[in-house]
Amino acid sequence: MRFKDVFSIIGPAMVGPSSSHTAGAARIGRAARQLLGEMPLKAEVIFYGSFAATYQGHGTDRAIAGGLLDFPTDDLRLPDSIEIAERKGMDISFRQGAGLFPHPNTVRLQLSSSGGGLTLTGISIGGGNIEIVEIDEFSVKLSGMYPTVLIHHMDYLGVLASVTDTMRRGRVNIGHMSLDRKHRSGAALTVLELDEMLAPELLSELEALPAVQSVKLIHLDESPKEEKGKGKTS
């Protein structure tokens, strides 16, 4: 792995005990929360590999719950996140998965809310760093280290060119791109990791493009709308 900055080596500011089992898990949960757009009403959390063997002792379950509440890795409410989630009305469950998984620290989230649902598979690769590898049965690759835009669209000729041209005109540089589709001319998902956050007007331009069905954002370094907990439990 190529480290991008010193924080990739020493790990993030966090409530422990583990950068991979706790901080990384919280970031996976928070990415899912931002994609869903609201707190899930029901969350099924399936752990694989090392996560499955140690999730209770390392607080991985609490980290995921905290992420789903949009808590960052250093939020002092993380140890109480399961209880907070339940008080807020989230039906959250945890279990061990079986079968193949892409990494020893793998978690699959199956979420539902009043506005829809989401499935997401993420892996924690060390030092609080993560990779999201699957979203709603689309294969993706995103790190959560940069502002990220996810565009659901139909796999029609010229859609990707229109997306990249919109970015060019908005003077936003694309650092990494991944694309997957269900089948030819079917549903597709394009993921763009950017050097800067999209301006609202640029987001509106993307949403207005032909064949684009939805545009969603992930920005894990952005402060949550709710102030971080300072020892609070609710």
Side-chain angles (χ1 to χ4, degrees), residues 162-204:
S162 297
V163 168
T164 56
D165 187 59
T166 300
M167 296 297 180
R168 178 192 60 79
R169 288 186 285 102
R171 303 185 66 81
V172 176
N173 192 52
I174 298 170
H176 181 266
M177 175 188 294
S178 65
L179 183 149
D180 191 25
R181 62 183 185 180
K182 299 292 187 182
H183 53 80
R184 186 174 181 178
S185 299
L189 174 62
T190 294
V191 178
L192 306 175
E193 291 188 314
L194 309 174
D195 286 348
E196 59 189 273
M197 196 61 178
L198 285 181
E201 58 270 20
L202 203 60
L203 177 63
S204 298

